[in-house]
Amino acid sequence: MLVLSRNTDEKIHIGDNIVVTVVEVRGDRVRIGIDAPREVSVHRQEIYEAIHNSQERTLLEMKPR
């Protein structure tokens, strides 16, 4: 994992088409903005896991018994 330090309004570029911007730092909370193409999925970890778990359940239900 690459760990970077950034201040408010500073950016990190990922590849040619994704930009992560530090929007605000308040106490132990950091707000970030992510600019990415529509075809790139961007989710918080808990949402990603919920989607992944839902897809797994659907696949298990579709398996012949």
Side-chain angles (χ1 to χ4, degrees):
M1 175 188 304
L2 174 63
V3 178
L4 301 170
S5 297
R6 300 277 76 200
N7 292 313
T8 302
D9 293 327
E10 292 184 331
K11 301 175 186 311
I12 298 168
H13 289 258
I14 302 172
D16 292 331
N17 56 2
I18 300 173
V19 179
V20 178
T21 304
V22 177
V23 175
E24 178 182 34
V25 178
R26 186 183 302 174
D28 63 347
R29 308 266 327 215
V30 178
R31 294 184 66 213
I32 60 171
I34 301 168
D35 185 15
R38 285 194 179 277
E39 61 270 9
V40 175
S41 296
V42 178
H43 300 288
R44 297 186 323 243
Q45 181 69 30
E46 61 274 17
I47 301 299
Y48 174 83
E49 289 172 357
I51 292 168
H52 184 70
N53 291 339
S54 175
Q55 290 172 344
E56 281 186 344
R57 281 193 303 274
T58 300
L59 288 173
L60 288 173
E61 291 169 0
M62 293 174 58
K63 277 188 176 179
R65 296 175 188 202

